[in-house]
């Protein structure tokens, strides 16, 4: 088993001519990780990353050494001819006319991503996958030596519409089982990718001891009209919430997370909070907040620090109160600051507050482990 956060690192250890099949629950970041891996590999090779579409064909073929081409194929949308080409009469013989993307991948470095492989229950599509995975041929076009073939799918215990694969097909792949990210891994990924451009109230909710189980809830049946929470749906919601009016928070939450979790999350956000500036000035107010409000208020204070409306040293007394009544929110505040900014001044000043305060210093060991300090 490989953590999804370590998948890109693991892929780099596999030979380029070995086809890979990534298996894991839906919505945990398999497709995103493969794309990010391709972008990073292009950068390492000194090539321009392009997400292939047919309008690029001529430009790429004129300078094939310049590009690293990412081809994303959803196998559930494919016919065999989408992969092997189309038969055409040429000088009294029939030849397969290759598709543009396969011609490109015969000339360029790149990655062919065969997504949803385990959702395909068609022997003709699986037969084409045999040849691609083992022979590295798309129809009669041989892939370039610097092209990787990566497939992805779900196990049947992750999705009831997923199928086991024929043994001969599976044997053509290096199989990687990935683990869904935990909440801290997801927070780190969001922060690295989006900085402060996502709503940290999601972080407060998912860090709350009562709601951590809402991060990933797989549906109990293969076909459903009910959304379900997973890292992908939380990502989409977190990116939209900052610009969402209050009256649309509930339908948007339900639309991404389903009725049960979405309603619970929207109710959490409706908690009335005191002015965080007032809380910084009168730290004792924190003691009177209920547990849910403590988590929400923590990210509100973190946002004040990030927006430079208060200095880290201004919240020292508040941090002491937090540490005495609910120490885990201090860890949350450090996550909400350190993971979402690279501002050296903020980070160093906040660290100094902890290192020079006897009441806070004892928490630095736990915080340091979580923040990889």
């Amino acid at each position: 088993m490989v953590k999804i956060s370590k998948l890109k690192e693991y892929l780099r250890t596999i030979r380029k001519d070995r086809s890979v099949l990534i298996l894991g629950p839906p919505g945990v970041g398999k497709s995103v990780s493969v794309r990010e891996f391709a972008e990073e590999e292009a950068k390492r090779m000194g090539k321009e990353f392009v997400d292939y579409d047919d309008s690029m064909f001529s430009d790429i073929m004129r300078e094939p050494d310049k590009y690293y081409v990412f081809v994303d194929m959803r196998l559930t949308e494919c016919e065999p001819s989408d992969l092997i080409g189309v038969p055409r009469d040429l000088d009294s013989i029939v030849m397969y006319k290759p598709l543009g993307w396969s011609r490109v991948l015969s000339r360029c470095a790149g990655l062919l991503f065969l997504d949803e492989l385990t959702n395909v229950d068609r022997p003709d599509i699986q037969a084409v996958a045999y040849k691609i995975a083992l022979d590295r041929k798309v129809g009669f076009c041989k892939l370039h030596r610097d092209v990787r073939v990566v497939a992805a799918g779900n196990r049947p215990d992750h999705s009831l519409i997923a199928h086991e694969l024929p043994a001969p097909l599976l044997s053509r792949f290096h199989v990687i089982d990935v683990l869904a990210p935990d909440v801290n891994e997801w927070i780190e990924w969001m922060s690295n990718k989006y900085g402060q451009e996502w709503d940290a109230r999601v972080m407060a909710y998912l860090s709350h001891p009562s709601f951590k189980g809402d991060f990933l809830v797989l549906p109990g049946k293969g076909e459903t009209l009910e959304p379900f929470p997973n890292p992908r749906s939380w990502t989409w919601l977190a990116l939209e919430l900052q610009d969402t009016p209050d009256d649309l928070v509930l339908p948007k939450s339900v639309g991404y997370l389903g009725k049960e979790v979405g309603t619970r999350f929207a109710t959490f956000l409706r908690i009335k909070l005191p002015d965080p500036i007032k809380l910084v000035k009168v730290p004792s107010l924190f003691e009177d907040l209920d547990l849910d409000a403590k988590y929400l208020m923590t990210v509100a204070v973190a946002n004040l620090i990030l927006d430079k409306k208060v200095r880290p040293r201004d919240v020292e007394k508040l941090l002491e109160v937090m540490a005495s009544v609910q120490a885990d929110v201090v860890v949350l505040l450090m996550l909400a600051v350190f993971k979402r900014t690279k501002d050296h001044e903020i980070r160093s000043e906040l660290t100094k507050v902890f290192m020079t305060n006897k009441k806070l210093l004892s928490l630095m060991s736990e915080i340091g482990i979580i923040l990889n300090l």
Side-chain angles (χ1 to χ4, degrees), residues 4-175:
I4 191 70
S5 59
K6 299 293 184 182
L7 178 58
K8 292 183 290 183
E9 180 182 334
Y10 186 78
L11 285 172
R12 286 197 291 272
T13 70
I14 300 173
R15 288 170 52 114
K16 291 179 182 178
D17 59 355
R18 296 287 186 264
S19 298
V20 172
L21 171 60
I22 303 167
L23 298 174
V28 301
K30 299 186 297 297
S31 300
V32 170
S33 294
V34 171
R35 182 185 180 86
E36 289 180 350
F37 168 78
E39 292 172 339
E40 292 172 10
E41 187 164 63
K43 186 175 182 179
R44 284 193 298 273
M45 297 175 70
K47 295 181 181 293
E48 181 180 338
F49 175 89
V50 293
D51 193 348
Y52 180 80
D53 69 59
D54 287 338
S55 66
M56 302 173 175
F57 177 81
S58 297
D59 291 338
I60 295 172
M61 294 298 281
R62 273 195 295 269
E63 298 181 273
D65 292 337
K66 176 181 176 181
Y67 298 101
Y68 184 103
V69 182
F70 182 73
V71 177
D72 186 350
M73 302 291 292
R74 295 293 191 272
L75 292 181
T76 50
E77 301 173 356
C78 291
E79 294 292 330
S81 59
D82 296 326
L83 297 168
I84 63 176
V86 182
R88 288 289 185 266
D89 188 297
L90 180 64
D91 295 332
S92 300
I93 62 171
V94 174
M95 298 183 67
Y96 272 92
K97 187 174 183 179
L99 301 178
W101 66 265
S102 64
R103 287 281 305 279
V104 162
L105 288 186
S106 72
R107 299 282 305 279
C108 297
L111 190 148
L112 172 59
F113 184 40
L114 305 174
D115 204 1
E116 301 178 353
L117 176 62
T118 57
N119 290 353
V120 175
D121 192 23
R122 291 183 51 176
D124 53 353
I125 297 294
Q126 291 178 350
V128 175
Y130 277 62
K131 189 172 184 179
I132 296 175
L134 184 63
D135 299 334
R136 294 176 53 80
K137 283 187 175 181
V138 181
F140 292 94
C141 273
K142 190 165 184 64
L143 297 174
H144 188 277
R145 63 181 179 277
D146 286 329
V147 168
R148 292 181 183 268
V149 177
V150 179
N154 314 122
R155 288 189 178 276
D157 54 336
H158 294 146
S159 171
L160 294 181
I161 60 173
H163 308 279
E164 293 183 337
L165 298 177
L169 176 56
L170 187 69
S171 70
R172 285 157 167 76
F173 289 98
H174 176 96
V175 180

Side-chain angles (χ1 to χ4, degrees), residues 199-210:
D199 199 313
R201 292 177 298 173
V202 175
M203 184 191 308
Y205 181 86
L206 293 175
S207 299
H208 193 297
S210 299

